[in-house]
Amino acid sequence: MLFSLSVSSQKTIDEDPEIQQNNINYRIEQAQVELEKYNYYDAQKHLDEALKLAEKSDNKRSIGIIYAIKGKLQLIIEEEDNAIKSLNKAIEMQRIINDNKNLGKSYKIFGDVYLTKKDYYQALDSYKAAKSKFQEEGLNEDLAEVLLCEGKTYMSLKNYGKARDIIEQALAQARKGDYKKTQSDALINHGTIYNKLGDFEKALTFANEGLEIAKENNFKNILSKGFLVVSNIYKAVQDFRRSREYLFKHLKLSDSIRTLTRVNSSKDQETQYLLNEANEKINEAQLNLEKAEDDKNLGTLISILSVALITILSLLTLSLYKNNNIRLKTNNMLHKKNGELIIAKEKAELASKTKANFLSTVTHELRTPLYAVTGLSNMLLDENPRPEQIQHLKSLKFSGDYLLTFINDILQINKIEANKVDIEPESFNLKKKINNIVLALNNSAQDNNIKIHFEYDSDLPENFIADQLKISQILINLIGNSIKFTKDGDIWIRVYKIEEKSNVYTLRFEVEDNGIGISQEKQDNMFESFSQGSIQINRKYGGTGLGLSIVKGLIDILKGKIYVRSELEKGTTFYFEIPLEYTSVEETKENKLAYFDGDVSELDLTNVKILVVEDNKINQMITKKILTKMSLKCDIVDNGEEAVEMIKANKYDIILMDIHMPGISGMEATKRVRAFDKELTIFALTAVTIEDKMHEFDEAGFTDIIPKPFKQEEFEKKLYNALATNNDQSATA
């Protein structure tokens, strides 16, 4: 019984996940140590033992790490094809579990393999994929190392200008984190680059600095390379004595490293190990034969069977050998293609990220001049223009508003495609929400002589939990579309239940009109970006063709489906189905007033002072004119540093702070102000995409945000609201 308990206890300990993980980690660490000592075969044995344990416990993270280190080892011993196989296995495992940290390291080793194979552009793709992962995970040391490798690749391509810029980044990162090995290697490579560019003084300075760090930390490989680099620089300046001196140092150290590597060569040790194993088996077979000789009849039978068995095994071995060769060739091709596909996917993701950044930057740059266009057109319309100018100014204002809508649509599509749209569920009254949308769009409907009918299923509850803003946007787009393409007709909006599970209702929303309709041919690509009925329809009715694409994207995010049914000259019906969770909780009420709805004459504006922080002269002039029209006085500064000093020296009621300015940004200026004034009202007057930056505005300490270009009446109401709040607080105090 005691023996059974002991065995059971041992089994339980061996199966303990923490102990298993410790055993795996120990062998991985030992492999890394042996790798640093050039003991490649010992490293291989530790990795094989770790892999058996990891596979037994299905530890995917450890399996990925082990295959990556195997790939590194196989690269060192010049087995590049085997390295590619191992790395593909590592990457496959790491992608399954989203192990981005180690995935980046695998991509980096992949780059090293391609660099060794002189496939420089594949190497660059791998390094860029690794760089992207290291940046996402904040792995600065790995980032410095991969930047250095990227720079070395450009050196191999003889693009020394690009190599210099990349290695400069690697060096800055290494110095910042005090990563000595990368710092030393980067400096010595800088020496090579400046030698190639003909700046020998800089070349020597960088190379010698790298050598000093390598000597202090006993980086033998880097030191050997550094001696050769310095020798080449002295040769270029025709100082042959010093060139020979450093060349001898290089040869001596490289011979020492080569000897150490050869002595510890994985292949030599593996061969010896296999020979010893074979000798043991031969000895064992000899003993068995000696025993068999005691019985001649048995010996004869064994001999006959042995011959037959050897013949069968020989034929089987030959067949297996041929099949194995075919399988190896196929696997090699598949591994290579798999690696290329993975890199291609990373490149596509990087391109998508680049596109998103490009669109964000371009739209920001477009919003800034749009502020001037819409602001100036509003001002001119308010300043009693000549009768013949009014229509031109209205056209200018319409064009500015249209362009702003177009930019906002592009940003929305971009966010949907980049999966950056978050769902924000809240309790709300669905029937009330749709009624409000109908009321808001009723004026546009009346302009086209359209009557809107709203039918809400009487058995359907009204309060739900969902993202009401997205539902509103979908309905506004669909109803607005029907209004645009219907004249002297009707629009029906229907909501009813099609399924109920627990508290989740699947509702169908229908928007039907009797307008011009859509041909069957055009219905097929109805929800694609920039898709409209025809060029003639586009010119007649206007629009960018992005509305339905946005609707489709939002419905997908809400886990719903959308359909269209239409016939030319008879009308169109859009209907979509989305799940909503029923709640008995009434609609959430927003306490904060977004706009002023009181009497402006009741506000005392006599001593109100506003500071406008804006670097664009045209925008300064527009904002000042709007404030003057509101009977408000303002000071203007064009940078963040001056704004902070002005706020310290004067008492202001409101600060209108631009974000992008020379010197410190509006974000930084606001943080500095909050250090000494927590209560001051500070509005971010900005052209950036608010949804993407909202958390940054909150962290900086802004009271609220006014996006540019803004509608003048909304701007005025927001300012009056802030002033009314300030007056109430003063009266209470």
Side-chain angles (χ1 to χ4, degrees), residues 695-712:
H695 69 284
E696 292 182 26
F697 290 123
D698 288 340
E699 287 171 7
F702 285 101
T703 307
D704 206 343
I705 300 158
I706 301 176
K708 292 190 291 189
F710 48 74
K711 292 182 180 178
Q712 188 170 326

Side-chain angles (χ1 to χ4, degrees), residues 161-290:
K162 182 73 172 176
R164 179 187 57 195
D165 295 341
I166 298 291
I167 290 179
E168 193 72 54
Q169 294 175 38
L171 186 56
Q173 194 77 34
R175 280 178 168 156
K176 183 180 176 184
D178 198 27
Y179 311 130
K180 295 294 185 185
K181 195 165 189 177
T182 306
Q183 193 175 335
S184 173
D185 203 356
L187 286 163
I188 286 167
N189 277 282
H190 249 341
T192 301
I193 290 168
Y194 280 104
N195 186 27
K196 295 290 184 183
L197 295 172
D199 192 339
F200 305 118
E201 187 178 344
K202 271 191 176 180
L204 271 175
T205 302
F206 282 120
N208 282 323
E209 188 182 346
L211 275 177
E212 285 303 314
I213 296 171
K215 284 176 187 174
E216 288 169 10
N217 295 275
N218 197 26
F219 301 143
K220 288 184 180 178
N221 282 316
I222 298 173
L223 195 58
S224 174
K225 180 184 173 183
F227 287 145
L228 182 60
V229 169
V230 174
S231 173
N232 289 335
I233 297 168
Y234 278 125
K235 184 180 176 183
V237 297
Q238 298 185 350
D239 188 342
F240 299 114
R241 183 183 63 79
R242 287 187 178 178
S243 177
R244 281 195 302 275
E245 180 186 327
Y246 277 95
L247 182 59
F248 288 144
K249 288 181 180 180
H250 161 70
L251 292 172
K252 184 178 177 182
L253 186 55
S254 62
D255 283 343
S256 170
I257 294 169
R258 198 177 300 113
T259 302
L260 186 60
T261 306
R262 195 185 306 118
V263 167
N264 295 285
S265 167
S266 170
K267 290 182 179 177
D268 291 345
Q269 290 190 12
E270 184 177 4
T271 303
Q272 188 60 48
Y273 177 81
L274 292 172
L275 281 171
N276 293 339
E277 195 176 58
N279 285 332
E280 285 176 11
K281 287 183 179 177
I282 289 167
N283 291 334
E284 188 180 341
Q286 187 68 36
L287 288 170
N288 290 335
L289 283 171
E290 287 173 0

Side-chain angles (χ1 to χ4, degrees), residues 254-406:
S254 62
D255 283 343
S256 170
I257 294 169
R258 198 177 300 113
T259 302
L260 186 60
T261 306
R262 195 185 306 118
V263 167
N264 295 285
S265 167
S266 170
K267 290 182 179 177
D268 291 345
Q269 290 190 12
E270 184 177 4
T271 303
Q272 188 60 48
Y273 177 81
L274 292 172
L275 281 171
N276 293 339
E277 195 176 58
N279 285 332
E280 285 176 11
K281 287 183 179 177
I282 289 167
N283 291 334
E284 188 180 341
Q286 187 68 36
L287 288 170
N288 290 335
L289 283 171
E290 287 173 0
K291 286 180 183 178
E293 284 175 1
D294 293 338
D295 190 340
K296 290 181 181 179
N297 291 332
L298 184 61
T300 304
L301 181 60
I302 288 172
S303 297
I304 293 167
L305 289 174
S306 295
V307 170
L309 184 60
I310 288 168
T311 305
I312 293 166
L313 286 174
S314 297
L315 292 170
L316 184 60
T317 302
L318 183 63
S319 174
L320 287 171
Y321 175 75
K322 288 182 177 178
N323 287 337
N324 194 47
N325 275 346
I326 294 167
R327 185 174 61 81
L328 280 172
K329 287 178 183 177
T330 307
N331 279 349
N332 284 340
M333 183 177 69
L334 286 172
H335 280 302
K336 186 178 178 184
K337 292 296 178 187
N338 188 43
E340 289 173 1
L341 284 170
I342 289 168
I343 296 297
K345 182 179 182 298
E346 293 295 333
K347 285 175 72 176
E349 288 174 354
L350 187 61
S352 176
K353 193 184 293 183
T354 305
K355 183 194 82 171
N357 291 337
F358 169 77
L359 282 174
S360 180
T361 303
V362 168
T363 49
H364 170 263
E365 293 305 317
L366 285 171
R367 283 169 183 262
T368 301
L370 262 180
Y371 176 59
V373 172
T374 55
L376 288 170
S377 56
N378 276 325
M379 283 166 47
L380 291 169
L381 281 167
D382 289 341
E383 291 176 357
N384 298 319
R386 295 198 301 272
E388 65 272 17
Q389 293 176 328
I390 292 173
Q391 189 56 45
H392 298 320
L393 291 171
K394 284 183 177 179
S395 298
L396 179 64
K397 184 178 184 300
F398 172 81
S399 297
D401 292 339
Y402 175 84
L403 185 54
L404 179 60
T405 302
F406 184 52

